[in-house]
Amino acid sequence: MSSQAPIAQNIQQIKSQLPATCKLIVVSKYREVAEIQTAYASGQRMFAENRVQALLERKEALPTDIEWHLIGHLQTNKVKYIAPFIAMIHSVDSFKLLQEINKEAAKNNRIIPCLLQLHIAQEETKFGLGVDELDAFFTEFGSVDLPNIALHGLMTMASNTDDKEVIHTEFALAQSLFQDIKAKHFADDARFCELSIGMSSDYDIAIAHGSTLIRVGSAVFA
Ligand SMILES: *Cc1c(COP(=O)(O)O)cnc(C)c1O
């Protein structure tokens, strides 16, 4: 068995690289509860899971002051399970899903912070709204009042590649889309301020392109 000290050290090491405008979310998917507890004991409070079932199980097993983020694809029929407590949903990829989140948030008397997930990577398999779908999304968004959700920004993943230039180009696109959307649709809404980009292999590049939330798993638990 390996010592758990490296988890706390890894978190400190990653945090020491972050500008004041950027926060670390530890991605705890596939990890043992004991490993998450070690990260918690070191002071970490923001954690992310990619599946609803795993998220619910871990929430039950861990302290109540953890801020849970959902970063994986969310089916509309599962929104109700997380609506009472979820801190932020990073993976909103349709207007229909946003409407469902609004409905369940209303039942819980909450406003749920959401990020729009964009698909800019080369892989076919990744979820998210295409750049060409943004106009249609915001036309619908602008036509309906959704008082129980708040769009706080964008989330995206870069292509899974060793080519740093490709990652730079993709995160630069994410940053410019974030700024365009903010200027066009949220000029009067200060809540739209989060750019969730950067994982273990590319968070340094994401920080250079204005990331405010990095989502790091393997570099913490390795
Ligand atoms: C798994 C995952 C991460 C973390 O990936 P690591 O490479 O382990 O840091 C970040 N974001 C999303 C959406 C993920 O699914």
Side-chain angles (χ1 to χ4, degrees):
M1 252 194 82
S2 67
S3 152
Q4 293 195 334
I7 293 176
Q9 279 167 23
N10 292 341
I11 289 174
Q12 276 327 107
Q13 209 273 333
I14 294 164
K15 277 187 170 170
S16 71
Q17 300 168 56
L18 300 183
T21 49
C22 185
K23 292 193 182 113
L24 168 65
I25 301 175
V26 168
V27 177
S28 51
K29 68 183 185 201
Y30 315 137
R31 299 295 161 180
E32 304 290 339
V33 166
E35 293 176 285
I36 307 171
Q37 265 158 348
T38 302
Y40 178 89
S42 83
Q44 180 67 27
R45 291 295 179 270
M46 297 165 86
F47 291 88
E49 286 285 331
N50 64 339
R51 292 186 307 120
V52 167
Q53 189 54 42
L55 197 163
L56 295 172
E57 285 167 20
R58 275 110 194 268
K59 179 185 153 52
E60 274 302 301
L62 287 155
T64 54
D65 64 341
I66 288 179
E67 200 183 281
W68 288 104
H69 292 242
L70 185 75
I71 57 173
H73 183 64
L74 177 58
Q75 289 169 283
T76 49
N77 63 354
K78 298 209 171 136
V79 173
K80 58 178 176 285
Y81 301 117
I82 59 170
F85 67 89
I86 198 80
M88 184 175 277
I89 300 172
H90 293 230
S91 41
V92 174
D93 57 3
S94 73
F95 186 70
K96 185 170 146 254
L97 177 59
L98 200 61
Q99 282 179 304
E100 181 66 18
I101 297 168
N102 182 68
K103 192 179 101 194
E104 294 298 328
K107 286 185 195 163
N108 288 280
N109 230 331
R110 301 186 60 205
I111 297 174
I112 297 184
C114 295
L115 303 181
L116 201 54
Q117 182 177 355
L118 285 187
H119 175 110
I120 53 179
Q122 288 156 357
E123 289 91 358
E124 293 281 336
T125 53
K126 289 196 173 143
F127 289 105
L129 220 60
V131 175
D132 55 340
E133 296 173 291
L134 281 173
D135 281 344
F137 176 87
F138 280 106
T139 301
E140 277 189 296
F141 183 72
S143 69
V144 184
D145 196 21
L146 301 176
N148 292 88
I149 60 94
L151 270 188
H152 281 227
L154 303 181
M155 185 272 262
T156 197
M157 276 181 273
S159 294
N160 186 8
T161 172
D162 292 331
D163 187 340
K164 301 230 176 268
E165 279 314 308
V166 169
I167 298 170
H168 262 293
T169 304
E170 291 175 350
F171 283 159
L173 174 61
Q175 185 177 26
S176 88
L177 287 167
F178 171 76
Q179 286 161 350
D180 289 352
I181 292 168
K182 185 168 177 58
K184 218 167 150 184
H185 303 285
F186 297 93
D188 301 322
D189 186 348
R191 294 176 299 183
F192 194 91
C193 65
E194 305 287 7
L195 184 56
S196 172
I197 53 174
M199 319 191 341
S200 293
S201 58
D202 57 19
Y203 67 81
D204 54 331
I205 303 175
I207 290 166
H209 291 287
S211 177
T212 66
L213 296 169
I214 59 168
R215 313 175 309 271
V216 180
S218 35
V220 166
F221 295 104

